[in-house]
Amino acid sequence: MSVDMYRITEQPYYRPVGDEVALYEAAYRHRIPVMLKGPTGSGKTRFVEYMAWRLARPLITVAAHEDMTAADLAGRFLLEPGRTVWHDGPVTLAVRHGAICYLDEIVEARQDTTVVIHPLTDARRMLPLEKRNEILAAHPDFQLVISYNPGYQSAVKDLKESTKQRFVAIDFVYPPPAIEQEIVMRESGVDASDARLLVEIATRSRNLRGQGLDEGASTRMLVHAGRLLVAGVRPAAAVDAAIVLPMTDDAEMRAALRDAIAACL
Amino acid sequence: MSVDMYRITEQPYYRPVGDEVALYEAAYRHRIPVMLKGPTGSGKTRFVEYMAWRLARPLITVAAHEDMTAADLAGRFLLEPGRTVWHDGPVTLAVRHGAICYLDEIVEARQDTTVVIHPLTDARRMLPLEKRNEILAAHPDFQLVISYNPGYQSAVKDLKESTKQRFVAIDFVYPPPAIEQEIVMRESGVDASDARLLVEIATRSRNLRGQGLDEGASTRMLVHAGRLLVAGVRPAAAVDAAIVLPMTDDAEMRAALRDAIAACL
Amino acid sequence: MSVDMYRITEQPYYRPVGDEVALYEAAYRHRIPVMLKGPTGSGKTRFVEYMAWRLARPLITVAAHEDMTAADLAGRFLLEPGRTVWHDGPVTLAVRHGAICYLDEIVEARQDTTVVIHPLTDARRMLPLEKRNEILAAHPDFQLVISYNPGYQSAVKDLKESTKQRFVAIDFVYPPPAIEQEIVMRESGVDASDARLLVEIATRSRNLRGQGLDEGASTRMLVHAGRLLVAGVRPAAAVDAAIVLPMTDDAEMRAALRDAIAACL
Amino acid sequence: MSVDMYRITEQPYYRPVGDEVALYEAAYRHRIPVMLKGPTGSGKTRFVEYMAWRLARPLITVAAHEDMTAADLAGRFLLEPGRTVWHDGPVTLAVRHGAICYLDEIVEARQDTTVVIHPLTDARRMLPLEKRNEILAAHPDFQLVISYNPGYQSAVKDLKESTKQRFVAIDFVYPPPAIEQEIVMRESGVDASDARLLVEIATRSRNLRGQGLDEGASTRMLVHAGRLLVAGVRPAAAVDAAIVLPMTDDAEMRAALRDAIAACL
Amino acid sequence: MSVDMYRITEQPYYRPVGDEVALYEAAYRHRIPVMLKGPTGSGKTRFVEYMAWRLARPLITVAAHEDMTAADLAGRFLLEPGRTVWHDGPVTLAVRHGAICYLDEIVEARQDTTVVIHPLTDARRMLPLEKRNEILAAHPDFQLVISYNPGYQSAVKDLKESTKQRFVAIDFVYPPPAIEQEIVMRESGVDASDARLLVEIATRSRNLRGQGLDEGASTRMLVHAGRLLVAGVRPAAAVDAAIVLPMTDDAEMRAALRDAIAACL
Amino acid sequence: MSVDMYRITEQPYYRPVGDEVALYEAAYRHRIPVMLKGPTGSGKTRFVEYMAWRLARPLITVAAHEDMTAADLAGRFLLEPGRTVWHDGPVTLAVRHGAICYLDEIVEARQDTTVVIHPLTDARRMLPLEKRNEILAAHPDFQLVISYNPGYQSAVKDLKESTKQRFVAIDFVYPPPAIEQEIVMRESGVDASDARLLVEIATRSRNLRGQGLDEGASTRMLVHAGRLLVAGVRPAAAVDAAIVLPMTDDAEMRAALRDAIAACL
C-alpha cells in the first residue's frame, strides 16, 4: 500500500486558538509523542490533519475501539491463494514510511496495544514485528499522536501511568465565541448573524454540562444546524434536530435546553 | 452483488405525521447523517424505506445485535476454492454504490463498529478498508442513517457522545389517533369502526406505560389484531392474542389491560 | 437437504383444550408469526407438530440454547475437499422451502439471532444471507413460531420489546383433569383408574408450585409414571422415580410431596 | 469407530442395595431416560456399567465439564489430508449403534448440549445432525442416562426444569454397613475386621457432613485405605493419607476427624 | 516423541523428612493416584522427581494454568504440509509409555481437564481420545500425581469433591531446621554457620505468616540468598534481595521483616 | 531470526544509584532470575539494557499485556505456502541462544505464561515446547529478568507466591537530585540551572503522590520538558505540556501542581 494515499493535498481548514501549532512543532522537532486532550468535536482530529499538512507528512488515522488489538495496529499474515502474505497494519505503515500516526481515543483499545506503543515512544523508537522476524526501526520522520477525552475516563478504562508519561500533552477546549462563529460561517455557509446565534446557543448548552448533560454542543453540531438552516429548515426545527434531540432523551433536560435556546431565537 | 437488489420498486405505505419528510430531505441534501429515535413499532423502518423510495436510492438495512462487529459491516475475505475473495459488507456496498445505509438499533452492536461509522460521518466521508489496502471515498449519494430506541438505553449500553454528535435526529412517536386509525384500516383490512376501537385500546395500553409495562401496544400490534378479526377470530380473543399476551406475563398487569380493553369492546 | 425429511407423515396425538387450533389457523392464514407461551411439558411442541401435520407443512424445529448464534440458524460455508460449500441453516431451509420453523425457547439464544428473526417477521418477510450475496424472499407457506416459558424469564434474559411485538401469542396451561387423564391413558397404556390417580397426584404437586417447587409435575411425568406401572413397578416406587425424585432434592419438599401423594395411593 | 470397543466383557462387581436393578430394567424396557442422583463415590458409574453388562449393551460414558458443548457430544467435521471427514461424537455413536450413553455430571456441561439431549428424550427419539444434513433416528436399543450430584447444584448451575422432567430418577446413597464392608473387602483385599473398621470410620466422617465437610468419605476412599494397609502402611497413616488429608485442609476439621477415627483404631 | 527424554538420569537431591517415601511407594504399588499438598517451595516438585528416579520411571511434568484445557493434556491434531498429524499431549504420552505424570497446581487448570483425569483415576484406568477414535488403556506403569497448595484455594477455585476423593494425599511442610540447614548448605555452597543463620531467618519470616504475609520464606529463597553470599554480596543485601524484597512491597511489613532479620545477622 | 539483532552495540547511558550493578552481576553469575521493582520511568528498562551491554549478552525485551499468552512467549507454528513452520517466540529465542530475556510488567500477562516461566526459573532451567516435541535446555548464558510496578498491583492482578519466590529482587526509586539533574542535562541538552529547576519540580510533584496523584513526574517527563525548552518553548508552557497535562485531568490537582511549580520558575 502506498503511503501517498495518506498525504493531505489540500490545506485543511484549521483555526488556531493559542500556541498549539508552535508547541506541536517543537514536539515534532524532537519527535516527542503527543497526546491531544479534549472533549468531542473540539477540533483534535482537524488539528492533527492540519499539522500533517503543514509538516508535509502523510497522516494515518486509526479510530480505536474496545476490540482493537496490537495485531490490528501492527499487521498480520493473510492467507492468499497459494501463499501467505504479510500485511502491514496502520502503525507499521507509518513507522516504515515516516508518517504521523494518529490513534484516536486510544484508551478504548485493548491493553495489548501497549506492546506496539511503548517501544515506539521511548529511546528505542522501534517496532518489534515478531511474527515477521523483524525489528523495525522507526523512519526518522515518524511520530505518534494519540487523543484522549478526559470526560470519558473511568477507573476501569484509563491509560496506564507508564503510557501517559511517554507523551507531551496539548489541551483542547471549545474555541472562544468570535473564533467559533468564524468556523461555523465558513463550514456551513450561514451568515454572521445566524452563526453568532448558534454560538450563543452552544455556550448556553455548555453551561448545562454537569447539570444533566455529559457534554455541551460541539462546534460540529453548530455546523449541522447551520447547514439545515441553509437548506431551508426553520431555525427552531434545525436547532432541535441538530442539537437538542441528539444530545439528550430526557424530557426535562430537553425542556431546559429549549428554554435556553428560545431566549436566543 | 448488484446493489439493484436493494432498490425499492414500489412506493411503501408511509403516512407522514409532521415535517419529518422535509427535514430528512434537507439533511440528505447535505448528506448529514440522520438518527431516527423512537419506540418499537413507531414507524422508523417504514419511514426510511419511504425516504429511500422517494429519493430513488437503494436502501441497505442492517439489524444490529450485540455480536455484530466492524467486519460484519465492512466486509471480509472468504476462502473460496483455490483463492481468497473479498466480500463487501453491507456498509461498504452502500458506500461504494451510493445507497442509503440504515443501521437499525446500532447501539446493540459492538463498539468496534465505531471505526466504520466515524470516518463516514465527518468531513472525511471515507471508509478505510485496511485489509484490502483501500481507502474508499463515499459515493456522492451515500448517506448513513441509524435508529435508536431511547427507552432501551442504559449506562452500559449507549452511544458515545463522540458518535451521537455526528447525527441530526428525528423523533418518532406513535401517530395521532386519526392517522393511526387510517394506518390500521389500510394495513389490516378492518373497517373504520374496528380500527377506531383498536386505536382506543392502544391508547389505553400506552397510558399504562411506566406502570408495569415497558412499552405500550405498537401500531404493528393493532394491525395483527385487525388481521385476526378479518380472519374471523372473536374480538376479545384477537385482542388477547395480538396485544395482551405478547406484552406481559404478569397476571395483574394482564387483568388491568383486559379491564381497560373490556371497556372498549 | 430435502425438506421432505421434515414432513410429519402420521397424525400426532394432540388433544385440543380450547380454541387454540382455530386461532393458529387464523394466524397462519395471514402468516402472522406465533409465540407459544407456557410451562414445561404443557404441550407446546406437540401442538406445533399437530398444526404442521394439519396444515400439511414440513416442520423444522430448533431447540435454542445460550450459545446459539444467527449463523446456526441461517447457515454457513463449510470447507469441503477442494471447495467451500454453503450449508443452509434450519431457518433458511424453512424460508426457502415453505416450512413452519419452530424456535423452541428462543429466549435462550444469543441476541444476534435478531438479525434473522426481525426481517422475517415484518412486512419484508425476507432473510438477508449476506455471506451468500443473497436476499431470500420467504416462500409463501413459510411461518415462524417461537416458544417461551414465562416462568424462566428474568431481567437479563428476556425477549426485546421490538421482538415480542412481532408475534401473536397463544397461552398454554396444563389440560383440565378429564382431558389430562385421557392423554395419560393413551400415551402410557394405564387404565382409567390409574390415570385418574396420576392426574390427581399432578394436581396436588401443582398446588405446591411457588411453595418450594419451580414447576408442578408435567403431563410428560405422568406418562413416565404410567409406563413404569405398566412395566410392573409398584405404584409408590413408580411415582417416586417418575415424579418426586426428578422434581426436587430438598428433603422437606420431598416429604411434603410424598405426603400429598400417599393420600391418593 | 467400532462400538464394540465399548462392550463390557467382564461382569463388573456391583452390589445391589435396593430395587434399583428392577427399576432400571423397567425404564429401559420403555427406553425412558434415567437420571442417577447421589454423592461422589456412591456407585453411580459402577451401577450403569453393571446394567450395561446385564442388558448386554455397549456403554459410552462422557464426563461432562463446563467447556463441553453440543459439538463435543454430537460430532464435528475434521480436516484430513485432502478431505474433510465427519467424526461422530460419543452421543451420536451411541444413538447410531444402540448403546447406552451415560453423561456423567451433565449439569457441568454448557447449555447448548440441550439441543442434543431434548430431541433424544421425548417422543421424537432423534438427533438432528444439521452439519451433516442428517436427522438420525435413535437405534431401538439406545438409551440416555445422566448423573447428577444434588450436593453440588446451585442456582446458577442446575438443570432446566424442561430437562429434568424428561428423566425418571434413581437415588444413590452410601450402602448400609454390612454391604459396604463386603465391597471394601472385595475391592481392596483387606480382611473382615479391617473392612469393618474402615466402614466405621466412614460412618463417623459422614456424620460430620454439614459440620464443615461437604461430603463424607466415599466407599472409594475406604478401598484406597484398604489397599495401603495391604501394602504395609500403618493403619493411622493409611487412613490419614486416603481419607483425612484429601477431604479437608482445615486444621480443626482434621483434628475432629482424627479424633473420631482414633476411637476406632 | 521418545519418552526417554523424560527419564531422570542423575539422582536428584531430596532429603526425606518423614515416611513420605514409603507411603508413595505403597501408593505406586497399587497405582493409586497421589496428591501432594503443601506451600510454595516446600519440595513437592523435587520429591516427585526423586520418586521417579527411585522407581526408574520417566516423569512428565505439566505446570497447570488457568487457560489449560483438556486438549493441552490429551493432545490435538496439527496441520502439517499435506497432512494432519495427531500430537500426543503430555498426559497421553505418559499413559501410553508408562511414565509418572505430574500435574503441578492442577486446580489452576480449566474444569474440562476432568474429562482426562477422571477415567484415569478410577477402576477404568483409561484415557478416551475421542478425536482419534481411540480408548487408550493406561500402561501398567502409569501413575498420576497432582499438587495442590491449600493456601491458595478459594470457594471459586477448588477441586471438586469427586476429583479429590480419587487421590491419596501426602502433606508437605517446610523441613525441620537441622534438615533445612543441610539442604541450604548443599544447594548454595554456604557453610554451616551461614546456613543456620538463613534457616533462622526463614523461621522468623514464617512466624509472620498470616500477619500480613501470605507465605513465609521458602527453602528456595534461602538457597538464593546463600548463592548471593557465595558470590560476595553483603549478608544484609543478599537477604534483602533474595527474601525481603520479593516477599512484600508493604513498607511496614518490610520493616518488621528486616527487624526480625537484623536480630540474626 | 538471528539473535545478533538483539545485541546492544553502543553503551547505553545508565547512571548507577547504589550497588545495583554488583548485585545484578552476582545474580547473573549464578543465573538467578531477577525481578526489577519500581515505579514508571525509574530506569528499570535502561538498567537492564545497560547490564546486557556490560555482560555482552543479547537482550530480548517483551512488554507484557493482558492478552499475552504462553504461546506469545514460546512460539507457534505458522502456515506458510505449502508448509507449516515453527516460529520461536522471544523467550525461546533467548533460551536457545543465551540472551537475557526481559519480561516488562509481567503481571499484566495471562497466567498461562507460568508454564514458560516456572521450568526456566528453578533447577530445571528448561523450556518444554510440547508442540515441537522438544524440551529445550537453557543456554548457559540465558537469564530471565522481569519487572514489576508495586504501585499497580491489586488483589486480582498479582504474581503468585510460587512465581515471586523464584526471583531475587532489586528495588528502583527515583534517583537523588544531583544524579537526576545530571541525567536530565545529558538526555535533553538543557543547562545545569534548567535541569536543577526541573528536578526541583519533579520533587514537588512526587510529594503530591498519594494526595491525588498516582505517581509523581518521572525522569522521562523531565527530559521531555527539557527538550521542549531547548526547542524554544517558554518554561511554563514546556512544563505544562510535558508534566502537568499528562499527569492529571483534575482541575484542582492541576492548580496544586502549577502552584508548586510556579514557586520554582
Side-chain angles (χ1 to χ4, degrees), chain F residues 37-260:
Chain F
K37 287 189 165 185
T40 299
S42 56
K44 301 187 294 292
T45 298
R46 192 66 70 86
F47 173 67
V48 77
E49 288 175 348
Y50 174 74
M51 292 311 302
W53 172 84
R54 193 176 159 102
L55 296 164
R57 304 305 322 143
L59 173 68
I60 298 180
T61 297
V62 185
H65 53 82
E66 64 183 18
D67 299 316
M68 200 176 78
T69 65
D72 293 322
L73 296 179
R76 45 172 62 91
F77 281 103
L78 293 182
L79 287 170
E80 295 200 354
R83 50 182 199 139
T84 312
V85 179
W86 170 261
H87 179 81
D88 276 350
V91 171
T92 304
L93 209 63
V95 167
R96 206 184 284 285
H97 300 288
I100 292 171
C101 182
Y102 177 46
L103 304 179
D104 194 14
E105 296 195 33
I106 184 62
V107 81
E108 298 287 334
R110 294 191 65 109
Q111 291 233 355
D112 77 339
T113 52
T114 304
V115 288
V116 168
I117 294 172
H118 278 205
L120 281 171
T121 51
D122 58 24
R124 294 174 285 171
R125 272 181 67 85
M126 58 115 172
L127 180 61
L129 299 172
E130 280 156 17
K131 287 183 188 143
R132 257 178 82 77
N133 293 349
E134 182 179 358
I135 295 183
L136 188 61
H139 185 287
D141 291 345
F142 169 78
Q143 188 199 24
L144 190 68
V145 182
I146 65 177
S147 79
Y148 182 91
N149 183 338
Y152 283 6
Q153 313 323 322
S154 63
V156 279
K157 224 170 187 178
D158 198 359
L159 289 180
K160 295 197 291 183
E161 276 296 321
S162 59
T163 303
K164 278 185 191 174
Q165 300 211 355
R166 290 159 182 274
F167 293 85
V168 302
I170 302 177
D171 253 26
F172 280 76
V173 290
Y174 300 117
I179 296 180
E180 191 164 33
Q181 183 181 332
E182 187 188 323
I183 297 170
V184 172
M185 287 171 69
R186 150 122 201 187
E187 299 262 312
S188 72
V190 291
D191 61 21
S193 138
D194 279 351
R196 195 171 50 240
L197 188 79
L198 290 170
V199 171
E200 173 63 21
I201 284 167
T203 307
R204 289 177 181 229
S205 83
R206 291 167 192 164
N207 291 341
L208 290 168
R209 194 174 163 177
Q211 299 172 40
L213 286 186
D214 284 344
E215 306 224 354
S218 63
T219 310
R220 185 197 307 276
M221 283 178 143
L222 305 187
V223 172
H224 281 168
R227 287 178 180 168
L228 292 180
L229 288 177
V230 168
V233 177
R234 285 177 305 110
V239 168
D240 225 49
I243 299 178
V244 178
L245 299 183
M247 280 176 74
T248 179
D249 299 314
D250 182 77
E252 286 186 35
M253 204 62 234
R254 284 184 170 186
L257 262 173
R258 282 171 181 146
D259 282 352

Side-chain angles (χ1 to χ4, degrees), chain D:
Chain D
M1 182 188 268
S2 167
V3 82
D4 288 332
M5 217 160 109
Y6 294 101
R7 293 201 179 271
I8 296 171
T9 48
E10 286 175 64
Q11 173 170 2
Y13 172 68
Y14 179 77
R15 176 67 175 80
V17 173
D19 58 358
E20 70 269 28
V21 173
L23 188 60
Y24 189 103
E25 287 183 332
Y28 185 74
R29 200 164 313 146
H30 291 287
R31 304 301 187 261
I32 307 177
V34 170
M35 176 193 298
L36 308 180
K37 286 189 166 186
T40 299
S42 55
K44 302 186 295 292
T45 298
R46 193 66 72 86
F47 173 67
V48 78
E49 288 174 349
Y50 174 74
M51 292 310 302
W53 171 82
R54 193 176 160 101
L55 296 164
R57 304 304 323 142
L59 174 68
I60 298 180
T61 297
V62 185
H65 54 82
E66 65 183 19
D67 299 316
M68 200 176 79
T69 65
D72 294 322
L73 296 179
R76 44 172 63 89
F77 281 102
L78 293 182
L79 286 171
E80 295 200 356
R83 51 183 198 137
T84 311
V85 179
W86 171 260
H87 179 80
D88 276 352
V91 170
T92 305
L93 209 62
V95 168
R96 206 185 285 283
H97 300 287
I100 292 171
C101 182
Y102 177 45
L103 304 179
D104 193 15
E105 295 196 35
I106 185 61
V107 82
E108 298 288 335
R110 294 191 64 110
Q111 291 233 356
D112 77 338
T113 52
T114 304
V115 286
V116 169
I117 294 172
H118 279 205
L120 281 170
T121 51
D122 58 25
R124 293 174 285 170
R125 272 182 66 85
M126 58 113 170
L127 179 60
L129 299 172
E130 280 154 19
K131 286 182 189 143
R132 258 179 81 77
N133 293 349
E134 183 179 357
I135 295 182
L136 188 62
H139 185 287
D141 292 344
F142 168 78
Q143 187 199 25
L144 189 68
V145 182
I146 65 177
S147 80
Y148 182 91
N149 184 337
Y152 283 7
Q153 313 325 322
S154 63
V156 279
K157 223 169 190 180
D158 197 0
L159 289 181
K160 294 198 291 183
E161 276 296 322
S162 59
T163 304
K164 279 184 191 174
Q165 299 210 354
R166 290 159 183 273
F167 293 84
V168 302
I170 302 177
D171 252 25
F172 280 77
V173 290
Y174 300 116
I179 295 180
E180 191 165 33
Q181 181 181 333
E182 186 188 324
I183 296 170
V184 173
M185 286 171 70
R186 149 124 201 184
E187 298 263 313
S188 72
V190 291
D191 62 20
S193 140
D194 279 351
R196 194 171 52 242
L197 188 79
L198 290 169
V199 170
E200 173 64 20
I201 285 169
T203 307
R204 288 175 182 230
S205 83
R206 291 166 191 164
N207 291 341
L208 291 168
R209 194 175 163 176
Q211 298 172 42
L213 286 186
D214 284 343
E215 305 224 354
S218 63
T219 310
R220 185 199 306 276
M221 283 179 144
L222 305 186
V223 172
H224 281 169
R227 286 179 181 168
L228 290 181
L229 289 177
V230 167
V233 177
R234 285 178 304 110
V239 167
D240 226 49
I243 299 177
V244 178
L245 298 183
M247 280 176 74
T248 178
D249 298 314
D250 182 78
E252 286 186 34
M253 203 62 233
R254 285 184 171 184
L257 261 172
R258 283 175 180 144
D259 283 354
I261 289 165
C264 307
L265 293 178

Side-chain angles (χ1 to χ4, degrees), chain A residues 85-148:
Chain A
V85 179
W86 171 261
H87 179 80
D88 276 351
V91 170
T92 304
L93 209 62
V95 167
R96 206 184 284 284
H97 300 287
I100 291 171
C101 182
Y102 178 46
L103 304 179
D104 194 14
E105 295 195 34
I106 185 62
V107 81
E108 298 288 335
R110 295 191 63 110
Q111 290 234 355
D112 77 339
T113 51
T114 303
V115 66
V116 169
I117 295 171
H118 279 205
L120 281 171
T121 51
D122 58 25
R124 294 174 284 172
R125 274 182 65 87
M126 57 114 172
L127 180 60
L129 299 172
E130 280 155 19
K131 286 181 188 145
R132 258 178 82 77
N133 293 349
E134 183 179 358
I135 295 182
L136 189 60
H139 185 287
D141 291 344
F142 169 78
Q143 187 199 26
L144 190 68
V145 182
I146 65 178
S147 80
Y148 182 92

